[in-house]
């Protein structure tokens, strides 16, 4: 017997594929998270199946083979790697079985959580995946600008930024123009060496009055901070 142009076997195979189909409708991963603005974030892998039945959900981090989270219908959830001690295991949106494993609430946010998150859903041998990238950035804990007079028109200028992520750019300007021949140094800091400290120093030859600006930029985060000091005479106010 033929259904249209399909044989019975092909028709049954097609029907089986449809019934076993799984589809990720939407993967919700915040693109940008500022430390200090929020205390928790939620990842949501919104997937659909044609009918109820056993399935498994895995979350992968930065294309590594070992899941950072795994849930299936037959065993308790397993948490590994970057999510250990950062996942709220008591959080559930509803009692629906399809919320299990698909919605994760992350706490204890820090820059180590920055990276690519992949949701992988498997049902009856069919696997679908989606990936999104998240940047958890840290604005400066400190931004200090020091200007010392060497002579009537000569100054030592130093700007220091501490506790930022990702890698910053620290630029010195005088009256909104880049100061030439400045030296920038950047190094890792923090307990896990995940943050950055930076400094820029230069010697400035300038006629008074004028404004010295230190411009801190985290280009990946679209973030900028300024520190300014005004020179009135050979002494700073």
């Amino acid at each position: 017997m033929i259904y249209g142009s399909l044989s019975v076997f092909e028709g049954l195979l097609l029907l089986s594929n449809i019934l076993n189909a799984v589809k990720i409708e939407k993967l919700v991963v915040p693109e940008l998270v500022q430390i200090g603005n929020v205390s928790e974030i939620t990842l949501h892998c919104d997937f659909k199946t044609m009918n109820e039945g056993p399935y498994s959900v895995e979350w992968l981090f930065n294309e590594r083979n070992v899941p950072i989270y795994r849930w299936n219908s037959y065993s308790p959830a397993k948490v590994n790697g970057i999510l250990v001690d950062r996942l709220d295991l008591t959080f559930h949106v509803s009692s629906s079985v399809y919320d299990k494993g698909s919605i994760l609430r992350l706490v204890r946010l820090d820059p180590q959580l920055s990276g690519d998150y992949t949701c992988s859903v498997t049902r009856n041998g069919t696997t679908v995946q989606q990936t999104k990238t998240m940047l958890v950035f840290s604005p400066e804990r400190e931004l200090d600008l020091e200007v010392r007079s060497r002579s009537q028109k000569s100054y030592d200028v130093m700007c220091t930024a501490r506790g930022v992520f990702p890698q910053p750019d620290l630029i010195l300007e005088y009256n909104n123009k880049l100061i030439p021949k400045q030296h920038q140094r950047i190094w890792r800091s923090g307990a896990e060496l995940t943050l950055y400290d930076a400094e820029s120093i230069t010697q400035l030859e300038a006629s008074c009055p004028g404004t010295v600006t230190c411009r801190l930029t985290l280009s990946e985060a679209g973030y900028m901070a300024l520190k300014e000091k005004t020179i009135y005479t050979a002494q700073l106010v």
Side-chain angles (χ1 to χ4, degrees), residues 115-127:
D116 296 329
Y117 288 82
T118 299
C119 174
S120 178
V121 184
T122 300
R123 185 171 188 273
N124 291 340
T126 300
T127 299

Side-chain angles (χ1 to χ4, degrees), residues 41-44 59 69 83 87 91 101-106:
I41 56 175
T42 301
L43 314 182
H44 184 193
W59 289 82
Y69 181 90
L83 291 191
L87 189 63
F91 175 75
S102 66
I103 305 176
L104 306 181
R105 173 163 286 180
L106 278 57

Side-chain angles (χ1 to χ4, degrees), residues 37-65:
N37 276 8
V38 294
S39 59
E40 57 192 29
I41 56 175
T42 301
L43 314 182
H44 184 193
C45 184
D46 183 9
F47 68 92
K48 297 291 186 294
T49 62
M50 292 299 297
N51 55 25
E52 294 186 2
Y55 70 94
S56 66
V57 179
E58 292 183 345
W59 289 82
L60 307 173
F61 183 67
N62 286 344
E63 298 183 352
R64 294 170 186 164
N65 293 327

Side-chain angles (χ1 to χ4, degrees), residues 91-105:
F91 175 75
H92 299 290
V93 173
S94 72
S95 59
S96 170
V97 66
Y98 290 103
D99 282 343
K100 295 182 178 179
S102 66
I103 305 176
L104 306 181
R105 173 163 286 180

